[in-house]
Amino acid sequence: MNTFISAPFGNYIKKKNECIAVTGTWTLEPRGNRLLAVLKTLRYNRKLGGWTNRLGLPNPGLDVGLSKTLPAEVLSIAATTNTDFKVLNSIIPESKNIEINLSCPNIHGLKISELEWSGAGIFLNDWRRWCIAKVSPLTTMKELTYLIDTLGFKQIHCSNTLPVPLVGGLSGNELIPYTKILIKMIRSTWKDNIEIIAGGGIQNIGTVTEYINEGANHVSIGSLCFNPFKLNKLLKTIT
């Protein structure tokens, strides 16, 4: 089992013997200052029981991302137009590990559908150890079938933040049942042919064990990174 530190936390947390950092998410063109966006929109919502954000993928652009992502790390990328994947693929080295963020809830004007996903398969090759599709907790069986059977993805990250109207993306315990449903959907249909990375609400070894028992191969840690003590304790327990 591998443990991933999800983007954007993977930009700052580097523990190469204990986990794999996922940097980003990077887009073709710069989209503003990440730190400023975090300060403006990241909040803990007591009513919802988790962290919410309306970041919208702020980052200094792909060129910076490539320079900051080490060979063993994973570069998280996203498209903001229907033509971005082709250009991104022409720039990113064919051996670079990548995670394709297909599920950011805060990109206004871009409706995630098969139309926008159709170019994502261009990144699949024999040289990448990791070529991961990161999906929404609301992903349907039809969408999974398209990603896996039509495009050919063999590594699925379940899941991104939960879209909440007027709030943005929600992280935390609320994601756990959604992630479990996605794991069951994948395992029941594609058996052991897909590598599943499970994330959402991981605060201790108990949730890790639950995800692995459901059928996940790996886990991804996000909001726990706000508590370095608990993060270090969990990583030592896992490894």
Side-chain angles (χ1 to χ4, degrees):
M1 181 186 76
N2 289 291
T3 302
F4 294 82
I5 300 296
S6 67
F9 300 100
N11 294 316
Y12 316 107
I13 297 173
K14 312 288 185 179
K15 297 176 181 292
K16 65 179 182 178
N17 294 324
E18 299 176 68
C19 57
I20 299 172
V22 182
T23 74
T25 294
W26 312 100
T27 53
L28 186 60
E29 301 295 338
R31 289 180 56 85
N33 185 284
R34 182 180 288 122
L35 179 59
L36 184 60
V38 166
L39 293 175
K40 284 185 175 181
T41 74
L42 184 66
R43 300 288 185 273
Y44 185 80
N45 189 308
R46 293 186 180 277
K47 183 178 180 180
L48 296 174
W51 290 91
T52 63
N53 78 81
R54 303 179 75 173
L55 297 180
L57 302 179
N59 72 97
L62 179 65
D63 289 340
V64 174
L66 286 169
S67 69
K68 290 182 175 294
T69 305
L70 300 176
E73 297 177 344
V74 176
L75 181 87
S76 174
I77 58 173
T80 57
T81 75
N82 291 346
T83 61
D84 281 0
F85 283 144
K86 185 176 181 180
V87 181
L88 288 165
N89 185 60
S90 70
I91 299 171
I92 299 171
E94 61 186 11
S95 60
K96 176 69 73 175
N97 295 315
I98 60 171
E99 177 176 85
I100 306 167
N101 186 341
L102 298 172
S103 47
C104 176
N106 298 310
I107 297 294
H108 301 292
L110 182 66
K111 183 179 182 296
I112 297 300
S113 68
E114 290 185 5
L115 176 64
E116 283 75 34
W117 287 3
S118 61
I122 197 172
F123 298 102
L124 294 165
N125 63 37
D126 295 330
W127 297 279
R128 293 189 168 104
R129 168 62 182 96
W130 301 106
C131 189
I132 306 162
K134 185 175 185 179
V135 300
S136 164
L138 303 179
T139 300
T140 65
M141 176 58 78
K142 179 182 177 182
E143 290 169 330
L144 286 173
T145 300
Y146 184 77
L147 282 174
I148 295 170
D149 289 344
T150 302
L151 297 186
F153 280 93
K154 301 296 183 183
Q155 299 166 336
I156 306 293
H157 181 173
C158 313
S159 54
N160 208 334
T161 54
L162 180 67
V164 178
L166 304 179
V167 174
L170 172 66
S171 303
N173 290 340
E174 288 292 320
L175 283 173
I176 294 175
Y178 292 92
T179 295
K180 287 183 176 181
I181 289 172
L182 287 173
I183 295 171
K184 290 177 181 177
M185 290 166 62
I186 294 170
R187 280 288 169 255
S188 64
T189 304
W190 292 278
K191 309 305 179 185
D192 294 328
N193 295 318
I194 303 300
E195 279 188 275
I196 299 174
I197 301 166
I202 294 178
Q203 295 290 317
N204 51 54
I205 192 62
T207 311
V208 172
T209 301
E210 287 182 45
Y211 283 151
I212 297 302
N213 289 343
E214 291 287 349
N217 303 98
H218 316 287
V219 294
S220 177
I221 298 173
S223 57
L224 181 63
C225 296
F226 288 124
N227 189 324
F229 175 78
K230 290 182 68 175
L231 173 65
N232 288 332
K233 181 179 179 181
L234 177 60
L235 291 177
K236 288 178 180 178
T237 302
I238 293 175
T239 56

